[in-house]
Amino acid sequence: MSQSAHKYSLTARIFFGMAAGFVVGLLLQLLFDDSGDFQFSIFGMTLSTYDIFVEGIFSTLGQIFIDSLKMLVVPLVFVSLVCGTSALSDPSKLGRLGIKSVGLYIVTTAIAITLAMSMALLVSPGEGLSLSTETTYQAKEAPSLGDVIINMVPSNPVNSLAQGNMLQIIVFAVLFGVAMAMTGEAGKRLSAVFEDLNTVVMRLVTIIMNLAPYGVFVLMAKLFATIGAETILGLAKYFFLVFGVLILHGLVTYSVLLKTLSGLSPLMLLRKMRDAAIFAFSTSSSSATLPVTMETARNKLGIGNSVSSFTLPLGATINMDGTAIMQGVATVF
């Protein structure tokens, strides 16, 4: 990478990539509309500049970038969680950590849903909008609590790893790490191997993160080249309500909880989590953002490996506050 690229922080470069993608996407939409798009034939196929840039280059590179991030999730979660669990001197600490984490996730999700539905009832985003459709939707029957608990335990850990089933991976990794901690010398030797694996995986995360500005650029360029202004304007009330509640929840709810429970500065958290926030906005994927979140939590926030390896993958699986806000507003809409 050139020396000039290192003059700016990763956050700044990602922001530049996002801004450039926004501008390029809008230019493509303005210059290459249905009436003015330049078309040509090659190998018997009729192609257009829009197809080449948006559906070709941007779509392909954007999907490769997202897939490269998702590629890291399973090895990162499994290896780091095994390392963190096996390093615990007292396995009972893991149980207390799990209870506190799940309890906090339930509280934040409940607050998110309450905020979303309260604001939606106050604003009435669907008022005066008439939408007709012939489509019918039959919701699947929700599984029982017993089935949910049973499905957390993998019958085939290899299959769980292959399918990326996070809850099952977490359960298996925790049990594997606890067994390593209780095995003596053999566990210590294996723990050293996992520590080396963890170092390699984190280096891979760093490599992918250095490509982030370019990945964010193509994702934003495709998004704003395909989404029309009329689409945003037609649902502007709904769109900005969801956006506003997300900002409110992210800035107020988490800041109050952080200050109340830890006494730490919310501004410090928001400043150091900028990379993860920009990644989440660009990729719209909790799984794709997880490697960045874990790297940020360890290297910028100073959170221990045993804590971050357990709470972050679990949170990305069951603590879907953004989804809860979107569904709460959509229900009232």
Side-chain angles (χ1 to χ4, degrees), residues 166-243:
M166 280 297 110
L167 281 177
Q168 293 186 356
I169 292 172
I170 290 171
V171 170
F172 176 65
V174 168
L175 294 176
F176 195 84
V178 170
M180 283 173 53
M182 299 173 64
T183 308
E185 290 301 319
K188 291 180 181 179
R189 291 194 298 270
L190 190 56
S191 179
V193 174
F194 270 90
E195 289 292 345
D196 290 340
L197 283 173
N198 190 46
T199 302
V200 173
V201 171
M202 292 307 298
R203 174 60 61 183
L204 186 56
V205 170
T206 302
I207 293 173
I208 299 298
M209 284 184 66
N210 285 326
L211 300 175
Y214 311 104
V216 168
F217 166 75
V218 294
L219 289 172
M220 298 302 291
K222 181 190 175 184
L223 174 64
F224 284 97
T226 54
I227 186 171
E230 66 278 1
T231 303
I232 297 178
L233 292 175
L235 298 172
K237 203 172 183 181
Y238 169 79
F239 174 84
F240 285 109
L241 178 59
V242 173
F243 183 75

Side-chain angles (χ1 to χ4, degrees), residues 54-91:
V54 178
E55 300 301 332
I57 297 175
F58 294 157
S59 180
T60 301
L61 294 179
Q63 191 59 49
I64 289 174
F65 175 64
I66 292 178
D67 288 345
S68 66
L69 288 170
K70 291 183 177 180
M71 170 187 70
L72 301 174
V73 173
V74 170
L76 176 64
V77 170
F78 179 70
V79 173
S80 61
L81 192 50
V82 169
C83 290
T85 307
S86 63
L88 288 174
S89 57
D90 183 7

